Amino acid sequence: MAGNGNAGKAKTVSGKTATSKAVTGKTGAGTAGEAMAGGSTLEIRSDGTGNADILEAAAACFMEQGFSATSIDDVARRLGATKGRIYHYYASKTDLFFDVHREGMDRLFAAVETASAMPGTAGSRLARMLKAHALASMENHTYIAVVVQGVHMHRLAATTPAQRRTLDAVMDMRRRYERLFRSMLDTALEDGSAISESPSLTIKAALGAINWMSIWYRPKAGETAADREALAEQIVRPLRFGFEPRRG
Amino acid sequence: MAGNGNAGKAKTVSGKTATSKAVTGKTGAGTAGEAMAGGSTLEIRSDGTGNADILEAAAACFMEQGFSATSIDDVARRLGATKGRIYHYYASKTDLFFDVHREGMDRLFAAVETASAMPGTAGSRLARMLKAHALASMENHTYIAVVVQGVHMHRLAATTPAQRRTLDAVMDMRRRYERLFRSMLDTALEDGSAISESPSLTIKAALGAINWMSIWYRPKAGETAADREALAEQIVRPLRFGFEPRRG
DNA sequence: GGCTTACAACATACTCGGTAGTATGCATTT
DNA sequence: AAATGCATACTACCGAGTATGTTGTAAGCC
């Protein structure tokens, strides 16, 4: 029963001893301990028609009220639906949250990896990545707000058994993401296109400055892509050059 | 009844139509619209013997689990006490949260205002303030984690009537705090001890980078004051000089 | 200095609304 | 006719706030 090849419809489940719907590892026979890129341990429906709306509504609710203050009924209400619809796709509120988180991370990865493949010195590529990160954070700010919240989810959802696994996968995703920036900085340090006394903290400072946008940034009415572009540029500039005047 | 000079014991209350304990504005007859530094609209006991422990426990719980996931019983359990003790001093969970928030802001103000009074160019004083902010954030990281959460409290606790006032006071405190940095940067821009194309975003980036520490920073076992000093220095440095190499 | 009174500083016991999760019903599609 | 894609109805529990009881202690009185 568990592990049949039916890849058409898999409810997002985490733990539980239930009989029919407990499907923890789905895509093929995943050996425990795998950490594939992009595909976490939890899974959604294949065609994202129904879920996209749910994800969108959930992301908005989680952003506005936070995880625990958001009720499933809140999400359903925003959808113009009821709990039944949500629980048809997700086994628990936590699973829903993690799926929003995963979606957000996916979008970040896509944006930043594209930027990292651009030509130029490692230093300028790092700047591009930071700008891409800022831009993606603005364009998907509801999802990214959830991603930010997810950092705190260390002990919170550690209740269910295999739910812990999905959380580990999410945490791993975060680490890999930060490593993307870190390794680019290391390259830049080697070829002299960047300087840093403590690369780890330099990255944390830069990413922190941008992630903090999820606190204060809200899209203005009539905001254009050019506006966001300018904003991203202006938030990255002080990180590149600092506020100390340059002489020479 | 309301507004008597009894400054010895005032329960922290926000709204409510209750008879005996509704004391919203206490220190003298505060005209509505005042924005005094340090003294918010809500108030605690004068001698902080009993509350200090409550604040400490509450800050720890709020940091670990967040506001809405923390129950009053959680705080009481950490205190080795019961609800009764907490509700003896605070009228609601929200009031408790705001008091932790206020305490955190008070400590930040104290640290940064001291730093801003130091000699040197405006640019170097700004750097000192940022470092002081980082240091205070580490030394009071439980409280500061609550302060960070407080940013999201816009719509959340807007339920009770006069509770809204205390929230406004808190928000005002935050703005004044950021303005401390902003005006110092403006001074530095005038005398040429700092550069910035967009002062507002430069401040947001710098403060964001440091505030983000409340996400990843946790005191190590056996950590010394010198360790924190070094950490503060290393987090501020990239903000001053950037990661782009300086020529000349 | 004893006695009482009153209040502070809690603990205990209870209410009651909200919420996660479940069970089931029902229409539509395949 | 079987499964999908929901909605409706129900349960069980947790948690905020309240009401009330209990103990220590300082104050007033003689």
Side-chain angles (χ1 to χ4, degrees), chain B residues 142-195:
Chain B
T142 55
Y143 290 88
I144 268 61
V146 174
V147 169
V148 166
Q149 281 183 58
V151 190
H152 294 296
M153 287 298 186
H154 297 173
R155 289 285 171 200
L156 189 146
T159 48
T160 55
Q163 204 169 45
R164 183 77 191 165
R165 289 230 316 259
T166 71
L167 189 142
D168 288 342
V170 161
M171 296 269 291
D172 187 68
M173 223 172 158
R174 306 184 65 94
R175 267 189 293 270
R176 290 203 331 271
Y177 189 71
E178 183 168 339
R179 215 172 297 158
L180 234 60
F181 292 87
R182 175 61 198 271
S183 61
M184 185 62 75
L185 175 60
D186 286 339
T187 308
L189 291 177
E190 287 173 11
D191 68 19
S193 59
I195 55 169

Side-chain angles (χ1 to χ4, degrees), chain A residues 2-22:
Chain A
N4 61 2
N6 184 0
K9 38 212 62 171
K11 191 173 178 180
T12 305
V13 172
S14 54
K16 281 319 177 61
T17 58
T19 55
S20 61
K21 61 176 176 179

Side-chain angles (χ1 to χ4, degrees), chain A residues 173-190:
Chain A
M173 224 171 158
R174 305 185 66 94
R175 267 189 293 271
R176 290 203 331 271
Y177 188 70
E178 183 168 338
R179 214 171 299 158
L180 234 60
F181 292 87
R182 174 61 197 273
S183 59
M184 185 61 77
L185 175 59
D186 285 339
T187 308
L189 291 177
E190 287 173 11

